[in-house]
Amino acid sequence: SSQVGSMLHNPSYAGAYCWGRVQTKQNFQDGRLQKRHVRMLDVEKSRVLLWDHHPGYITRAQYEEHQRMMARNYTQFGGGSPVRQGRALLTGLLRCGRCGRRLQVKFWNAAGCPGRYLCDGTHTSGGKYCLGVSGAAMDKAIDAEMLRVLSPLGIEASKAALASTGEAQVGQRNTLILQEQQLQYEVRIAQERYEQVDARNRLVASSLEARWNAKLEELAQARATLTNLDQTAPPVSTVNLQQEIQWLGENFEAVWNSEHCPIELKKRLVRAVIDEIVVDTTESTISLIIHWQGGAHTKLETVRPTRKTAQANSTEDIEIIRQLAPRYSDDQIANVLSKMGRLTGKGKVWRRQAVKHARNKAGIAGGDCPKIDPDLLNMSAARRLTGVSDTTLRKLVQAGLLVNHQKIPWAPWELRRQDLESDPVARILDRLRWDGRLVLGPRLVSGVEQLALFQGGSNDG
């Protein structure tokens, strides 16, 4: 990246010879001459600067435009802010009213969080932020002020857009017509010069013929461009176009708040009318001074948002976490809450981190290593102990032969070890393992009787 930056700042790529741009200081210390390069001077302040010294990769105008663009995008020392795709509307426009630094935007959640505008203060050196404001609150306040200022101008802007669109189309067509007339004159002059030359002077004749053909090609290209403009350009005076532009002017607020309005367009509009915003805060308010591009200033004061009680987790969710925390990990609790269709106080799906935060805030013990009761088995442990499937165990619970010690609906099923080893569950499972039949009715016999019946049936056969 440093090589790219050096190339963009080097005027030699624009065809200039530049020497003496590095400022050097010399001083004697301990009997020795020491040189120190201080900084790079501006190109125009170089000792020697010769433009058009050699063919450049870009023109001088392009080079100067690149310098202005990089100066606007350099936000650290007072530059502007490039328009990017981030969700923060005011990136690069906010300045701290306490220390004068530019506010930076920081995000802690990639799922639609508007982030916060922060003044670093002494944070980078181990201190604290100078101030911080909610990104949503700031964007909302500037949105409202933009709509208040620009909405009355919408109709006038729509009329000006109609007029400028028409003038631009007519001006482009007139330019092409004048270009066509000029080329017709040049073609006629080239033809006359070719016809007047002596045919025996072949070198001059071939040169004049080539110039004539080149002018004919330019004339044909100009006529094709004019024909294409007449065929493709929409008529400005159509009623539908006038109505659409008029509607956009009268409904500027609806267009601004539409979900189809891209954030990049909003940022460009904001930067077109606002130069800078100075921010300061108190415990309850946010003070803003808007510096408009025309030199006017507007003072605003808005309420500083506080943590809403609506964002707190519901008491039902906290109670569920309290019941499940002694037996289950945070991941399992989050899975149970999600299956129940519960959401956090912020309206998001429960995750392990959200369960951990809610549990710690409520003072509930637990974590990823819950206490294990050896006598209380989940379905996996019960399946390994008995050697039968989950379906069989569920049928035994439905028949009332086993008790499901499930804490709440959607929580994992839990069965006691002594219930699985007790009679008649043990006899039912013995018969199931013997002949593959699950008999839950009164026709239950012991394992010895099953063996005798089986042997007797085999001898009769």
Side-chain angles (χ1 to χ4, degrees):
S1 60
S2 60
Q3 293 180 351
V4 175
S6 177
M7 179 188 68
L8 292 175
H9 288 287
N10 195 335
S12 63
Y13 286 89
Y17 173 79
C18 180
W19 178 82
R21 192 179 174 192
V22 179
Q23 186 179 15
T24 305
K25 287 187 177 181
Q26 301 179 358
N27 62 335
F28 281 96
Q29 186 174 0
D30 299 332
R32 299 178 60 184
L33 178 64
Q34 295 183 350
K35 295 183 179 181
R36 184 165 62 94
H37 300 301
V38 179
R39 62 185 179 89
M40 295 288 289
L41 297 173
D42 185 68
V43 174
E44 299 297 335
K45 297 180 181 179
S46 304
R47 296 184 182 181
V48 179
L49 178 62
L50 301 176
W51 289 103
D52 301 326
H53 177 266
H54 56 271
Y57 291 93
I58 58 177
T59 64
R60 180 179 178 180
Q62 290 174 330
Y63 171 80
E64 293 174 349
E65 177 59 29
H66 291 169
Q67 304 311 303
R68 289 191 292 269
M69 185 183 302
M70 287 186 290
R72 290 195 302 267
N73 294 345
Y74 193 52
T75 61
Q76 185 174 1
F77 297 105
S81 172
V83 174
R84 296 173 180 150
Q85 296 180 351
R87 297 181 297 275
L89 180 66
L90 308 176
T91 305
L93 295 179
L94 303 178
R95 188 176 294 279
C96 178
R98 301 175 184 176
C99 64
R101 293 186 180 91
R102 284 193 177 272
L103 271 65
Q104 307 295 325
V105 61
K106 297 185 183 295
F107 298 95
W108 285 272
N109 185 357
C113 177
R116 287 180 63 82
Y117 297 109
L118 297 172
C119 176
D120 282 339
T122 58
H123 179 262
T124 54
S125 58
K128 298 181 179 180
Y129 290 111
C130 186
L131 63 83
V133 290
S134 168
M138 288 293 300
D139 293 352
K140 183 178 180 181
I142 299 303
D143 276 351
E145 186 64 16
M146 286 279 295
L147 293 174
R148 185 189 69 81
V149 173
L150 298 182
S151 291
L153 304 176
I155 298 177
E156 296 298 329
S158 63
K159 293 179 180 179
L162 277 171
S164 62
T165 304
E167 292 175 359
Q169 183 175 335
V170 173
Q172 184 180 7
R173 193 175 189 281
N174 291 337
T175 301
L176 290 175
I177 291 175
L178 292 176
Q179 183 181 3
E180 181 187 10
Q181 293 175 355
Q182 177 66 25
L183 288 173
Q184 288 177 351
Y185 170 76
E186 293 178 359
V187 166
R188 186 169 65 253
I189 295 299
Q191 180 180 3
E192 291 175 356
R193 290 175 179 175
Y194 173 74
E195 292 175 349
Q196 292 175 2
V197 72
D198 188 353
R200 291 173 295 181
N201 194 344
R202 296 181 180 179
L203 182 61
V204 176
S206 60
S207 177
L208 292 175
E209 184 181 8
R211 294 180 183 178
W212 183 20
N213 291 332
K215 292 298 179 182
L216 286 173
E217 292 180 0
E218 293 181 11
L219 178 60
Q221 181 64 32
R223 288 175 175 173
T225 304
L226 182 60
T227 302
N228 185 53
L229 177 66
D230 293 336
Q231 292 177 352
T232 59
V236 180
S237 60
T238 58
V239 177
N240 291 335
L241 183 58
Q242 290 181 356
Q243 290 178 349
E244 289 179 1
I245 297 180
Q246 188 75 12
W247 184 89
L248 290 175
E250 296 174 352
N251 298 272
F252 178 76
E253 181 175 357
V255 175
W256 180 269
N257 293 327
S258 174
E259 60 180 4
H260 301 292
C261 183
I263 187 64
E264 295 88 348
L265 177 59
K266 289 185 177 182
K267 289 183 178 181
R268 291 191 180 95
L269 290 175
V270 171
R271 283 153 180 75
V273 297
I274 296 179
D275 179 51
E276 190 177 66
I277 303 173
V278 180
V279 186
D280 198 359
T281 60
T282 63
E283 293 183 359
S284 59
T285 61
I286 302 175
S287 300
L288 307 174
I289 301 178
I290 303 175
H291 297 269
W292 302 93
Q293 292 287 359
H297 309 286
T298 302
K299 291 185 178 180
L300 291 179
E301 190 171 286
T302 182
V303 178
R304 190 172 185 177
T306 57
R307 188 177 297 275
K308 300 179 180 179
T309 56
Q311 291 184 349
N313 299 314
S314 65
T315 56
E316 292 83 357
D317 292 349
I318 299 299
E319 186 59 30
I320 292 173
I321 295 175
R322 193 184 306 278
Q323 295 179 25
L324 298 180
R327 286 284 299 154
Y328 305 107
S329 65
D330 293 338
D331 273 329
Q332 292 174 314
I333 297 174
N335 188 29
V336 171
L337 291 170
S338 298
K339 289 181 178 180
M340 295 176 66
R342 312 288 299 184
L343 298 175
T344 66
K346 295 182 179 180
K348 298 180 180 180
V349 178
W350 281 99
R351 305 292 184 192
R352 184 187 66 84
Q353 193 64 28
V355 173
K356 180 180 179 181
H357 177 74
R359 184 172 49 76
N360 293 336
K361 187 176 180 180
I364 303 173
D368 293 334
C369 297
K371 297 179 181 179
I372 299 177
D373 186 355
D375 294 329
L376 201 60
L377 308 178
N378 57 22
M379 294 297 285
S380 299
R383 185 174 62 249
R384 290 193 298 270
L385 177 66
T386 59
V388 297
S389 64
D390 292 355
T391 304
T392 299
L393 296 175
R394 293 179 185 276
K395 289 182 178 181
L396 292 172
V397 172
Q398 293 173 359
L401 299 173
L402 287 176
V403 178
N404 176 21
H405 297 275
Q406 187 182 32
K407 289 286 186 180
I408 58 173
W410 296 105
W413 282 34
E414 293 182 324
L415 306 174
R416 289 198 176 277
R417 182 187 298 270
Q418 59 184 9
D419 293 341
L420 294 170
E421 296 175 349
S422 65
D423 188 68
V425 174
R427 290 190 289 125
I428 294 175
L429 297 181
D430 286 341
R431 177 163 186 171
L432 176 64
R433 298 189 196 97
W434 185 262
D435 60 3
R437 291 185 299 171
L438 180 63
V439 180
L440 302 177
R443 295 175 57 252
L444 296 178
V445 294
S446 64
V448 177
E449 292 173 335
Q450 290 183 21
L451 179 59
L453 291 172
F454 177 78
Q455 292 176 347
S458 300
N459 292 335
D460 292 342

Coordinates of all heavy atoms in Angstrom, one line a residue, residues 392-451:
T392 N -38.7 -46.7 22.0 CA -39.2 -47.6 23.0 C -39.3 -46.9 24.4 O -40.3 -47.1 25.1 CB -38.2 -48.8 23.1 OG1 -38.2 -49.5 21.9 CG2 -38.6 -49.8 24.2
L393 N -38.3 -46.1 24.7 CA -38.3 -45.4 26.0 C -39.5 -44.4 26.1 O -40.2 -44.3 27.1 CB -37.0 -44.7 26.2 CG -35.8 -45.6 26.4 CD1 -34.5 -44.8 26.5 CD2 -35.9 -46.6 27.6
R394 N -39.8 -43.8 25.0 CA -40.9 -42.8 24.9 C -42.2 -43.6 25.1 O -43.2 -43.1 25.7 CB -40.9 -42.0 23.6 CG -39.7 -41.1 23.6 CD -39.6 -40.3 22.2 NE -38.4 -39.5 22.1 CZ -38.3 -38.3 22.6 NH1 -39.3 -37.8 23.3 NH2 -37.1 -37.7 22.5
K395 N -42.3 -44.7 24.5 CA -43.6 -45.5 24.6 C -43.8 -46.0 26.1 O -44.9 -46.0 26.6 CB -43.6 -46.7 23.7 CG -43.7 -46.4 22.2 CD -43.7 -47.6 21.3 CE -43.9 -47.2 19.9 NZ -43.9 -48.4 19.0
L396 N -42.7 -46.3 26.7 CA -42.8 -46.7 28.2 C -43.3 -45.5 29.0 O -44.0 -45.7 30.0 CB -41.5 -47.2 28.7 CG -41.0 -48.6 28.1 CD1 -39.6 -48.9 28.5 CD2 -42.0 -49.7 28.5
V397 N -42.8 -44.3 28.6 CA -43.2 -43.1 29.4 C -44.7 -42.8 29.1 O -45.5 -42.5 30.0 CB -42.3 -41.9 29.0 CG1 -42.9 -40.6 29.5 CG2 -40.9 -42.1 29.4
Q398 N -45.1 -43.0 27.8 CA -46.5 -42.7 27.5 C -47.5 -43.7 28.2 O -48.6 -43.4 28.5 CB -46.7 -42.8 26.0 CG -46.0 -41.6 25.2 CD -46.0 -41.8 23.7 OE1 -46.6 -42.8 23.2 NE2 -45.5 -40.9 23.0
A399 N -47.0 -45.0 28.4 CA -47.8 -46.0 29.0 C -47.8 -45.8 30.6 O -48.5 -46.6 31.2 CB -47.2 -47.4 28.7
G400 N -47.0 -44.9 31.1 CA -47.0 -44.6 32.5 C -46.1 -45.6 33.3 O -46.1 -45.6 34.5
L401 N -45.2 -46.3 32.6 CA -44.3 -47.2 33.2 C -43.0 -46.5 33.6 O -42.3 -47.0 34.5 CB -44.0 -48.4 32.3 CG -45.2 -49.3 31.9 CD1 -44.9 -50.3 30.9 CD2 -45.8 -50.0 33.2
L402 N -42.7 -45.4 33.0 CA -41.5 -44.6 33.3 C -42.0 -43.2 33.5 O -43.0 -42.7 33.0 CB -40.5 -44.6 32.2 CG -39.7 -45.9 32.0 CD1 -38.7 -45.8 30.8 CD2 -38.9 -46.2 33.3
V403 N -41.3 -42.5 34.3 CA -41.6 -41.1 34.6 C -40.5 -40.2 34.0 O -39.3 -40.4 34.2 CB -41.6 -40.8 36.2 CG1 -41.9 -39.3 36.4 CG2 -42.6 -41.7 36.8
N404 N -41.0 -39.2 33.2 CA -40.1 -38.3 32.5 C -39.9 -37.1 33.4 O -40.9 -36.3 33.7 CB -40.7 -37.8 31.2 CG -39.9 -36.7 30.5 OD1 -38.7 -36.6 30.8 ND2 -40.5 -36.0 29.6
H405 N -38.7 -36.9 33.9 CA -38.4 -35.8 34.8 C -37.9 -34.5 34.0 O -36.9 -33.9 34.4 CB -37.3 -36.2 35.8 CG -37.7 -37.3 36.7 ND1 -38.4 -37.2 37.9 CD2 -37.6 -38.7 36.5 CE1 -38.7 -38.3 38.4 NE2 -38.2 -39.3 37.6
Q406 N -38.6 -34.2 33.0 CA -38.3 -33.1 32.1 C -38.6 -31.8 32.9 O -39.7 -31.6 33.4 CB -39.1 -33.2 30.8 CG -38.7 -32.1 29.8 CD -39.6 -32.2 28.6 OE1 -40.8 -32.6 28.7 NE2 -39.1 -31.9 27.4
K407 N -37.7 -30.9 32.9 CA -37.9 -29.6 33.7 C -39.0 -28.8 33.1 O -39.9 -28.4 33.8 CB -36.6 -28.8 33.6 CG -35.4 -29.4 34.5 CD -35.7 -29.2 36.0 CE -34.5 -29.6 36.8 NZ -34.8 -29.5 38.2
I408 N -39.0 -28.5 31.8 CA -40.0 -27.7 31.1 C -40.2 -28.3 29.7 O -39.3 -29.1 29.3 CB -39.6 -26.2 31.0 CG1 -38.2 -26.1 30.3 CG2 -39.5 -25.6 32.4 CD1 -37.8 -24.7 30.0
P409 N -41.3 -28.0 29.0 CA -41.4 -28.5 27.7 C -40.2 -28.1 26.8 O -39.7 -27.0 27.0 CB -42.7 -27.8 27.2 CG -43.5 -27.5 28.5 CD -42.4 -27.2 29.5
W410 N -39.8 -28.9 25.9 CA -38.7 -28.8 25.0 C -37.3 -29.0 25.7 O -36.3 -29.0 25.0 CB -38.7 -27.4 24.3 CG -39.9 -27.2 23.4 CD1 -41.0 -26.4 23.6 CD2 -40.1 -27.8 22.1 NE1 -41.9 -26.5 22.6 CE2 -41.4 -27.4 21.6 CE3 -39.4 -28.8 21.3 CZ2 -41.9 -27.8 20.4 CZ3 -39.9 -29.2 20.1 CH2 -41.2 -28.7 19.7
A411 N -37.3 -29.1 27.0 CA -36.1 -29.5 27.6 C -35.7 -30.9 27.4 O -36.6 -31.7 27.1 CB -36.2 -29.2 29.1
P412 N -34.5 -31.4 27.5 CA -34.2 -32.8 27.3 C -34.9 -33.7 28.3 O -35.1 -33.4 29.4 CB -32.6 -32.8 27.6 CG -32.2 -31.4 27.4 CD -33.3 -30.5 27.8
W413 N -35.3 -34.9 27.8 CA -36.0 -35.9 28.6 C -35.0 -36.5 29.5 O -33.8 -36.7 29.2 CB -36.6 -37.0 27.7 CG -37.9 -36.6 27.0 CD1 -38.2 -35.3 26.6 CD2 -39.0 -37.4 26.8 NE1 -39.5 -35.3 26.0 CE2 -40.0 -36.6 26.1 CE3 -39.3 -38.7 27.0 CZ2 -41.2 -37.1 25.7 CZ3 -40.5 -39.2 26.6 CH2 -41.4 -38.4 26.0
E414 N -35.4 -36.8 30.8 CA -34.5 -37.4 31.8 C -35.3 -38.5 32.5 O -36.4 -38.3 32.9 CB -34.1 -36.3 32.8 CG -33.1 -35.3 32.2 CD -32.6 -34.3 33.2 OE1 -33.4 -33.9 34.1 OE2 -31.5 -33.9 33.1
L415 N -34.6 -39.6 32.6 CA -35.2 -40.8 33.3 C -34.3 -41.2 34.4 O -33.1 -41.1 34.3 CB -35.3 -41.9 32.3 CG -36.1 -41.6 31.0 CD1 -36.1 -42.8 30.0 CD2 -37.6 -41.2 31.3
R416 N -34.9 -41.7 35.5 CA -34.1 -42.2 36.6 C -33.6 -43.6 36.4 O -34.3 -44.4 35.8 CB -34.9 -42.1 37.9 CG -35.2 -40.7 38.4 CD -35.6 -40.7 39.9 NE -35.8 -39.3 40.3 CZ -34.8 -38.5 40.7 NH1 -33.6 -39.0 40.8 NH2 -35.1 -37.3 41.1
R417 N -32.4 -43.8 36.8 CA -31.7 -45.2 36.7 C -32.5 -46.2 37.4 O -32.7 -47.3 36.8 CB -30.3 -45.1 37.2 CG -29.5 -46.4 37.0 CD -28.2 -46.3 37.7 NE -27.4 -45.2 37.2 CZ -26.5 -45.4 36.2 NH1 -26.4 -46.6 35.6 NH2 -25.8 -44.4 35.7
Q418 N -33.0 -46.0 38.6 CA -33.8 -47.0 39.4 C -35.1 -47.3 38.7 O -35.5 -48.5 38.8 CB -34.0 -46.5 40.8 CG -34.8 -45.2 40.9 CD -34.9 -44.7 42.3 OE1 -34.3 -45.3 43.2 NE2 -35.7 -43.7 42.5
D419 N -35.7 -46.4 38.0 CA -36.9 -46.7 37.3 C -36.6 -47.6 36.1 O -37.5 -48.5 35.8 CB -37.6 -45.4 36.8 CG -38.1 -44.5 37.9 OD1 -38.2 -45.1 39.0 OD2 -38.3 -43.3 37.7
L420 N -35.5 -47.4 35.4 CA -35.2 -48.3 34.3 C -34.8 -49.7 34.7 O -35.0 -50.6 33.9 CB -34.0 -47.7 33.5 CG -34.3 -46.3 32.8 CD1 -33.0 -45.7 32.3 CD2 -35.2 -46.5 31.6
E421 N -34.3 -49.8 35.9 CA -33.9 -51.2 36.4 C -35.0 -51.8 37.2 O -34.8 -53.0 37.7 CB -32.6 -51.0 37.2 CG -31.5 -50.5 36.4 CD -30.2 -50.3 37.3 OE1 -30.4 -50.3 38.5 OE2 -29.1 -50.1 36.7
S422 N -36.1 -51.1 37.5 CA -37.2 -51.7 38.3 C -38.1 -52.6 37.5 O -38.1 -52.6 36.3 CB -38.0 -50.5 38.9 OG -38.6 -49.8 37.9
D423 N -38.9 -53.4 38.3 CA -39.9 -54.2 37.7 C -41.2 -53.4 37.5 O -41.5 -52.6 38.4 CB -40.2 -55.4 38.6 CG -41.0 -56.5 37.9 OD1 -40.6 -57.1 37.0 OD2 -42.2 -56.6 38.4
P424 N -42.0 -53.4 36.4 CA -42.0 -54.4 35.3 C -41.2 -53.9 34.1 O -41.2 -54.6 33.1 CB -43.4 -54.5 35.0 CG -44.0 -53.1 35.2 CD -43.3 -52.6 36.4
V425 N -40.5 -52.7 34.2 CA -39.8 -52.2 33.0 C -38.7 -53.2 32.6 O -38.5 -53.5 31.4 CB -39.2 -50.8 33.3 CG1 -38.3 -50.3 32.2 CG2 -40.3 -49.8 33.6
A426 N -38.0 -53.8 33.6 CA -36.9 -54.7 33.3 C -37.4 -55.9 32.6 O -36.8 -56.4 31.6 CB -36.2 -55.1 34.6
R427 N -38.7 -56.5 33.0 CA -39.2 -57.6 32.3 C -39.7 -57.3 30.9 O -39.5 -58.1 30.0 CB -40.4 -58.2 33.2 CG -39.9 -58.8 34.5 CD -41.1 -59.5 35.2 NE -42.1 -58.6 35.7 CZ -43.4 -58.6 35.4 NH1 -43.8 -59.5 34.6 NH2 -44.2 -57.8 36.0
I428 N -40.2 -56.1 30.7 CA -40.6 -55.7 29.4 C -39.4 -55.6 28.4 O -39.4 -56.1 27.3 CB -41.4 -54.4 29.4 CG1 -42.7 -54.5 30.2 CG2 -41.6 -53.8 28.0 CD1 -43.4 -53.2 30.4
L429 N -38.3 -55.1 28.9 CA -37.1 -54.9 28.1 C -36.5 -56.3 27.9 O -35.9 -56.5 26.8 CB -36.2 -53.9 28.8 CG -36.7 -52.5 28.9 CD1 -35.6 -51.6 29.6 CD2 -37.1 -51.9 27.6
D430 N -36.6 -57.2 28.9 CA -36.0 -58.5 28.7 C -36.8 -59.2 27.5 O -36.1 -59.9 26.7 CB -36.1 -59.4 29.9 CG -35.1 -58.9 31.0 OD1 -34.1 -58.3 30.6 OD2 -35.3 -59.2 32.2
R431 N -38.1 -59.2 27.5 CA -38.9 -59.8 26.5 C -38.6 -59.2 25.1 O -38.5 -59.9 24.1 CB -40.3 -59.7 26.8 CG -41.2 -60.3 25.7 CD -42.6 -60.6 26.1 NE -43.3 -61.3 25.1 CZ -44.5 -61.9 25.3 NH1 -45.1 -61.8 26.4 NH2 -45.1 -62.5 24.3
L432 N -38.4 -57.8 25.1 CA -38.1 -57.1 23.9 C -36.8 -57.6 23.3 O -36.7 -57.8 22.1 CB -38.1 -55.6 24.1 CG -37.7 -54.7 22.9 CD1 -38.8 -54.9 21.8 CD2 -37.6 -53.3 23.3
R433 N -35.8 -57.8 24.1 CA -34.5 -58.2 23.6 C -34.6 -59.7 23.2 O -33.8 -60.1 22.3 CB -33.5 -58.1 24.8 CG -33.2 -56.7 25.2 CD -32.0 -56.6 26.2 NE -32.0 -55.3 26.9 CZ -32.5 -55.2 28.1 NH1 -33.0 -56.2 28.8 NH2 -32.5 -54.0 28.7
W434 N -35.6 -60.5 23.8 CA -35.6 -61.9 23.5 C -36.3 -62.2 22.2 O -35.8 -62.9 21.3 CB -36.4 -62.6 24.7 CG -36.4 -64.1 24.5 CD1 -37.4 -64.9 24.0 CD2 -35.4 -65.0 24.8 NE1 -37.1 -66.2 24.0 CE2 -35.8 -66.3 24.5 CE3 -34.1 -64.9 25.4 CZ2 -35.0 -67.4 24.7 CZ3 -33.3 -66.0 25.6 CH2 -33.8 -67.3 25.2
D435 N -37.5 -61.7 22.0 CA -38.3 -62.0 20.8 C -38.6 -60.7 19.9 O -39.3 -60.8 18.9 CB -39.6 -62.7 21.1 CG -40.5 -61.8 22.0 OD1 -40.1 -60.7 22.3 OD2 -41.5 -62.4 22.4
G436 N -38.1 -59.6 20.4 CA -38.3 -58.4 19.5 C -39.6 -57.8 19.6 O -39.9 -56.9 18.8
R437 N -40.5 -58.2 20.6 CA -41.8 -57.7 20.7 C -41.9 -56.8 22.0 O -41.5 -57.2 23.0 CB -42.9 -58.8 20.7 CG -43.0 -59.5 19.4 CD -44.2 -60.5 19.5 NE -43.9 -61.5 20.5 CZ -44.8 -62.4 20.9 NH1 -46.0 -62.4 20.4 NH2 -44.5 -63.3 21.8
L438 N -42.5 -55.6 21.8 CA -42.7 -54.8 22.9 C -44.2 -54.9 23.4 O -45.1 -54.4 22.8 CB -42.5 -53.3 22.6 CG -42.6 -52.3 23.7 CD1 -41.7 -52.5 24.8 CD2 -42.5 -50.9 23.1
V439 N -44.4 -55.6 24.6 CA -45.7 -55.9 25.1 C -45.8 -55.0 26.4 O -45.1 -55.2 27.4 CB -45.8 -57.4 25.4 CG1 -47.2 -57.6 26.0 CG2 -45.6 -58.2 24.2
L440 N -46.8 -54.1 26.3 CA -47.0 -53.2 27.4 C -48.3 -53.6 28.2 O -48.6 -52.9 29.2 CB -47.1 -51.8 26.9 CG -45.9 -51.2 26.1 CD1 -46.2 -49.8 25.6 CD2 -44.7 -51.2 27.0
G441 N -49.0 -54.6 27.8 CA -50.2 -55.0 28.4 C -50.0 -56.0 29.6 O -48.9 -56.1 30.1
P442 N -51.1 -56.7 30.0 CA -50.9 -57.6 31.2 C -50.2 -58.9 30.9 O -49.9 -59.6 31.8 CB -52.4 -57.8 31.6 CG -53.1 -57.6 30.3 CD -52.4 -56.6 29.6
R443 N -50.0 -59.2 29.6 CA -49.4 -60.5 29.2 C -47.8 -60.4 29.4 O -47.1 -60.4 28.5 CB -49.7 -60.9 27.8 CG -51.2 -61.1 27.6 CD -51.5 -61.4 26.1 NE -50.8 -62.5 25.6 CZ -49.8 -62.4 24.7 NH1 -49.4 -61.2 24.3 NH2 -49.1 -63.5 24.3
L444 N -47.4 -60.2 30.7 CA -46.0 -60.1 30.9 C -45.5 -61.3 31.7 O -46.2 -61.7 32.7 CB -45.7 -58.8 31.8 CG -46.0 -57.5 31.1 CD1 -45.7 -56.4 32.0 CD2 -45.2 -57.3 29.8
V445 N -44.4 -61.9 31.3 CA -43.9 -63.1 32.0 C -42.4 -62.8 32.2 O -41.8 -61.9 31.6 CB -44.0 -64.4 31.2 CG1 -45.5 -64.7 31.0 CG2 -43.4 -64.2 29.8
S446 N -41.8 -63.6 33.1 CA -40.4 -63.3 33.4 C -39.6 -63.9 32.3 O -40.0 -64.6 31.4 CB -40.1 -64.0 34.7 OG -40.2 -65.4 34.6
G447 N -38.2 -63.6 32.5 CA -37.3 -64.1 31.5 C -37.2 -65.6 31.5 O -37.1 -66.2 30.4
V448 N -37.3 -66.3 32.6 CA -37.2 -67.7 32.7 C -38.4 -68.4 32.0 O -38.3 -69.3 31.3 CB -37.1 -68.2 34.2 CG1 -37.1 -69.7 34.3 CG2 -35.9 -67.6 34.8
E449 N -39.6 -67.8 32.3 CA -40.8 -68.3 31.6 C -40.8 -68.1 30.1 O -41.2 -68.9 29.4 CB -42.1 -67.5 32.2 CG -42.3 -67.9 33.7 CD -43.4 -67.0 34.3 OE1 -43.7 -65.9 33.7 OE2 -44.0 -67.5 35.2
Q450 N -40.2 -66.9 29.7 CA -40.1 -66.7 28.3 C -39.2 -67.8 27.7 O -39.5 -68.3 26.6 CB -39.5 -65.3 28.0 CG -40.4 -64.2 28.3 CD -39.8 -62.9 28.0 OE1 -38.9 -62.8 27.2 NE2 -40.3 -61.8 28.6
L451 N -38.1 -68.2 28.3 CA -37.2 -69.2 27.8 C -37.9 -70.6 27.7 O -37.8 -71.3 26.8 CB -36.0 -69.3 28.7 CG -34.9 -70.3 28.3 CD1 -34.4 -70.1 26.9 CD2 -33.8 -70.3 29.3

